[in-house]
Amino acid sequence: MRKEECVPLSAVLREVLGDLGLMQAFVSAEVFLAWNAAVGDRVAESVLSKYFKDGKLYCTIASSALRSRLYYQKDSILDKINAVIGPEVVVKDIILK
């Protein structure tokens, strides 16, 4: 038996997840992990809830002072998140509540 075409495992996994309808959950998990890496553990603990939909990451922050600080750092946080995730999934905006 000859191997005609090699396909990366990540491409196969993405196709299987898409077929099963689990791709959105997988993408959301990637975005949440990238958010935690971008803002650090202490800030990540202050997030009450978060969800990702249509390229926007919605975060409810416990402290209004922290929310204000994050608002001014939003562009750098977006760059860090997209650098961690890679070119496939792009977070276009962060909505802080």
Side-chain angles (χ1 to χ4, degrees):
M1 179 177 227
R2 284 180 60 190
K3 192 182 290 186
E4 295 294 326
E5 182 180 332
C6 293
V7 179
L9 183 59
S10 62
V12 173
L13 285 174
R14 288 192 183 278
E15 183 177 332
V16 169
L17 289 173
D19 291 346
L20 295 174
L22 299 173
M23 193 59 178
Q24 180 61 34
F26 179 72
V27 169
S28 294
E30 278 186 320
V31 170
F32 297 156
L33 289 174
W35 163 265
N36 292 347
V39 297
D41 293 334
R42 294 190 75 174
V43 173
E45 290 173 358
S46 299
V47 176
L48 299 175
S49 66
K50 57 190 169 197
Y51 66 95
F52 179 70
K53 185 176 180 182
D54 297 330
K56 295 181 183 178
L57 175 61
Y58 298 85
C59 296
T60 303
I61 310 295
S63 166
S64 61
L66 178 60
R67 182 176 59 241
S68 178
R69 192 180 86 187
L70 290 174
Y71 178 78
Y72 290 111
Q73 297 176 349
K74 194 161 70 165
D75 291 334
S76 66
I77 294 171
L78 273 172
D79 292 340
K80 289 178 185 178
I81 289 173
N82 288 325
V84 169
I85 294 174
E88 294 133 6
V89 179
V90 177
V91 178
K92 298 173 187 161
D93 196 12
I94 300 173
I95 309 298
L96 301 170
K97 300 180 190 179

